[in-house]
Amino acid sequence: MKVLITGISGFVGSHMAEYLLQEHDVVGTIRQRSRLDHIKHLKDLQLVDLVECELRDPFSVEALIASVKPDRIFHLAAQSFVPTSWNSPVDTIYNNAASQINIMEAVRRIKPDCKIQIACSSEEYGHVEAYEVPIKETNPLRPLSPYAVSKVTQEFLAYQYYKSYGLHTVITRTFNHTGPRRGENFVTSNFSKQIADIEKGKQPPVLYVGNLQAKRDFTDVRDVVRAYWLALEKGVPGETYNIASGSCITIEELLQKLLALSKAKIEIKVDPARLRPSDVEILLGDYRKFHETTGWKPEIPLDRTLSDLLNYWRSF
Ligand code: GDD
């Protein structure tokens, strides 16, 4: 099968490529300024085909779809860091919505039988009441960041193209996910990198943090890419599915787990710049709908994920 991954040079994109390339022809989009560190080994071995494409440009996307004619698209490219969305709200919403519209427009005209997975987010739930956890897909969406609004927009666009044109879109609302290669801005990677840098003497033994009270539901990225594949193989078009672990921890507990993996003596300091105008208090997902449809369940425990991630940062 011909599979197109948008954002293949990113964290999830690189894992998706590794998961698929044993059995499928993998093509991935990159941008002029994309860093290729995560997929250089795949490119060097000519295991994946990289195509430069500006997803915000309809002509560039049309040319891409016309030349690749994909059977499956995993649409992973996005502005995905919540704090950036407060500094660049217009860019976040425009980038995330326009890229997807261009893809769906090109697909409906050129390759209408292509199945498209849309990577949406648990951030869309935003403010959640205590009695609403674990969160089901039917929960109201009360987004608390421009990023979350961009993902709600993506989700409704996918639904609308399914209803209007019969496009086979499947929406995954993925809760927090991490693992080796996670970008250094995100909390798990940021704390791990700081610990690794402290161990190497590159940073004084002070670890900077933001809000430690938030609760998040973490899944390993390797379980997540398996879920994305199943979403297109077994998921119902136009439907939305939670991808989650079904348990959550506070960021404080997460920090303690990472600190327990190191012998370094480390002081913790709150950096006010890391606090957000509004932070989602709790995300704890109910993934039963996806499990019942596809049989998927998470397999990699959080402790292994965190240890793999810390070792990843130690390797630099
Ligand atoms: N990034 C970061 N850095 N977050 C911190 C820090 C810090 O130093 N200290 C505490 N936090 C808290 C944040 O305030 C937030 O409550 C939580 O840790 C997780 O932050 P992130 O890792 O930045 O992720 P996120 O929850 O905002 O968003 C991630 O998950 C979404 C799914 O729910 C991203 O991966 C999104 O792209 C994804 O959609």
Side-chain angles (χ1 to χ4, degrees), residues 8 25 38 41 48 50 94 172 183 193 206 214 234 252 274:
I8 194 169
D25 286 348
H38 296 344
H41 58 301
V48 293
L50 302 184
Y94 175 71
T172 47
K193 181 173 187 294
V206 180
K234 300 189 172 174
E252 167 79 53
R274 291 171 185 247

Side-chain angles (χ1 to χ4, degrees), residues 80 121-122 147 176 182 185 187 210-211 214 216 274 276 279:
S80 65
S121 167
S122 57
Y147 166 76
N176 292 59
R182 187 31 140 174
N185 286 334
V187 71
N211 172 23
R216 291 289 187 275
R274 291 171 185 247
R276 303 173 180 191
D279 200 8

Side-chain angles (χ1 to χ4, degrees), residues 80-83 120-123 147 174-177 182 185-188 190-191 194 208-212 214 216 218 251 274 276 279-280 283:
S80 65
F81 189 48
V82 174
C120 286
S121 167
S122 57
E123 268 284 308
Y147 166 76
T174 309
F175 287 63
N176 292 59
H177 42 296
R182 187 31 140 174
N185 286 334
F186 298 85
V187 71
T188 46
N190 190 274
F191 291 176
Q194 290 192 67
Y208 292 94
V209 301
N211 172 23
L212 296 182
R216 291 289 187 275
F218 287 95
I251 301 302
R274 291 171 185 247
R276 303 173 180 191
D279 200 8
V280 174
L283 289 175

Side-chain angles (χ1 to χ4, degrees), residues 1-4 20-21 23-27 47-49 68:
M1 224 176 317
K2 198 86 178 266
V3 180
L4 176 66
L20 294 173
L21 56 80
E23 294 184 27
H24 304 284
D25 286 348
V26 178
V27 182
L47 293 170
V48 293
D49 191 2
V68 177

